[in-house]
Amino acid sequence: MSIEDDLLASIDLIYGASFDSTLWPMALISLADNMRTAHITLSTMDFRAQTYLSIAPRTDPDMTAIYRKYWAFHNPVWRLSATRPAGEVYLLDSLVPR
């Protein structure tokens, strides 16, 4: 398969996962492989309800639990990134200076 074929297969998996939530781990792994990254996470947070959920298929579940327990609601990047317009591409350095 070519790089384009692999990427299209990842996109198809993402569309499939939007209808069948059991496909999200496989879709994320496929996307991570195409981006040549080891870890990838799909997260959602509701500050008012104090809920944090994530799918992180290649991350140690203990580390995910530790993050959920404390850092999910203390990480300054969440609040700063939530104020950005939908679809905007930004660097972490523009949110939190080094």
Side-chain angles (χ1 to χ4, degrees):
M1 286 181 90
S2 70
I3 293 172
E4 291 84 11
D5 291 336
D6 291 341
L7 184 57
L8 287 173
S10 291
I11 292 168
D12 286 342
L13 275 171
I14 291 168
Y15 277 112
S18 68
F19 294 103
D20 179 359
S21 63
T22 64
L23 295 176
W24 275 116
M26 188 170 40
L28 291 173
I29 288 170
S30 176
L31 187 58
D33 290 346
N34 279 300
M35 295 187 324
R36 292 175 174 72
T37 186
H39 297 278
I40 191 166
T41 303
L42 178 64
S43 303
T44 181
M45 173 178 285
D46 185 335
F47 283 105
R48 283 179 265 161
Q50 290 291 290
T51 58
Y52 169 83
L53 299 170
S54 69
I55 302 169
R58 290 183 175 163
T59 303
D60 179 355
D62 291 337
M63 295 302 292
T64 301
I66 290 167
Y67 183 84
R68 182 183 305 117
K69 185 175 181 178
Y70 178 80
W71 281 106
F73 297 101
H74 292 90
N75 185 345
V77 173
W78 277 106
R79 288 191 192 276
L80 295 169
S81 62
T83 61
R84 298 294 186 150
E88 179 186 46
V89 176
Y90 57 87
L91 298 173
L92 183 59
D93 289 350
S94 68
L95 297 178
V96 180
R98 290 180 184 256

